[in-house]
Amino acid sequence: MQTVLSIFLFALAIAYVEYRLKSIRKDDSDDKKDAFDFFATKEELKKAVKRIEEQGEAYRQTIDEKLASVEQKAFFAPQEEKTVEEVVEEEPDPSVIFFRWPGDDGSFDDSQRLTAQTEDTYYMFRLDDTRTHAEFIFVTMSDTQLSKANNSSKKYIERACSFVNAKSAQYACTPGKAHLERGKWLIDLKARIEYR
């Protein structure tokens, strides 16, 4: 009887070991299958993240363009249509002045300020309430004027502005900052021209 019981327990132990081995093999194959799925999922996630990044970059560029447009429109406050008589009678806005181009040192001589934009002015300043600090932008009235500035950019542009991209006929300008000191407008921050 003891021998039968020993054989039975031995057979039971062998069955248990076989069961555990099958279980371990199954777990191992499940792990391999899960690992394969994990790597496939990882690749899909990488592709999805890349698509999201590309879409984000496209949205960022669109937003930057819209912001540049809004900033320019805000800088040039929209004015209502006026008759010739109203324009003649109207005095210029004292907070807006124009300059031709900066001197060799990059400053603007206040004695050369103009109250109206002409084909010979390239910079528009909007003064603050103290009239000693201003934001300024590079601004042209025609393609001919812009072409002249681009062809001689060291004189007309680079002393007061930095620029991005190759020069072209279309651009947006982020305002720079300047302050008045001893009759000269000194640049604190260059304007930024972005060609399109």
Side-chain angles (χ1 to χ4, degrees), residues 13 32 67 76 87 91 118 133 139 167 185 188:
K32 285 180 183 173
L67 280 174
F76 296 103
V87 171
E91 290 194 23
T118 68
H133 289 83
V139 61
K167 296 174 191 156
W185 286 95
D188 299 319

Side-chain angles (χ1 to χ4, degrees), residues 20-196:
R20 288 298 297 147
L21 284 174
K22 284 181 185 176
S23 174
I24 290 169
R25 283 188 201 126
K26 184 179 177 195
D27 288 346
D28 190 39
S29 68
D30 286 347
D31 286 346
K32 285 180 183 173
K33 188 165 75 170
D34 289 344
F36 176 77
D37 288 344
F38 169 76
F39 288 117
T41 304
K42 185 177 176 183
E43 289 303 314
E44 289 173 13
L45 286 173
K46 281 183 182 177
K47 289 176 185 174
V49 166
K50 186 174 180 180
R51 279 194 308 269
I52 291 169
E53 285 173 347
E54 289 169 354
Q55 289 173 347
E57 180 63 22
Y59 289 140
R60 187 194 64 75
Q61 287 177 350
T62 304
I63 288 168
D64 285 349
E65 288 172 8
K66 287 181 180 178
L67 280 174
S69 173
V70 167
E71 286 173 354
Q72 255 187 328
K73 286 177 184 174
F75 199 78
F76 296 103
Q79 298 180 3
E80 298 174 10
E81 293 290 323
K82 297 182 179 164
T83 65
V84 174
E85 294 81 21
E86 289 176 323
V87 171
V88 170
E89 292 175 8
E90 184 181 273
E91 290 194 23
D93 183 350
S95 69
V96 177
I97 58 174
F98 297 88
F99 289 100
R100 289 184 170 87
W101 52 83
D104 292 339
D105 63 352
S107 68
F108 295 87
D109 188 342
D110 192 52
S111 66
Q112 296 178 359
R113 73 164 63 186
L114 300 170
T115 56
Q117 185 177 9
T118 68
E119 279 284 337
D120 207 24
T121 59
Y122 292 86
Y123 290 90
M124 179 178 134
F125 280 58
R126 184 171 300 281
L127 309 177
D128 71 358
D129 293 339
T130 67
R131 303 288 194 255
T132 60
H133 289 83
E135 285 192 336
F136 69 91
I137 60 170
F138 174 82
V139 61
T140 55
M141 294 178 70
S142 67
D143 290 342
T144 306
Q145 187 184 15
L146 178 60
S147 177
K148 180 180 175 183
N150 283 339
N151 289 336
S152 299
S153 66
K154 288 195 188 297
K155 176 181 179 180
Y156 294 99
I157 299 173
E158 293 178 32
R159 295 174 186 166
C161 301
S162 60
F163 58 89
V164 181
N165 303 331
K167 296 174 191 156
S168 68
Q170 292 190 358
Y171 68 93
C173 186
T174 303
K177 295 183 185 290
H179 71 279
L180 183 62
E181 187 177 303
R182 297 183 191 150
K184 286 191 172 190
W185 286 95
L186 305 177
I187 295 172
D188 299 319
L189 175 67
K190 285 187 172 186
R192 184 172 181 265
I193 298 172
E194 187 164 353
Y195 291 96
R196 297 178 183 161

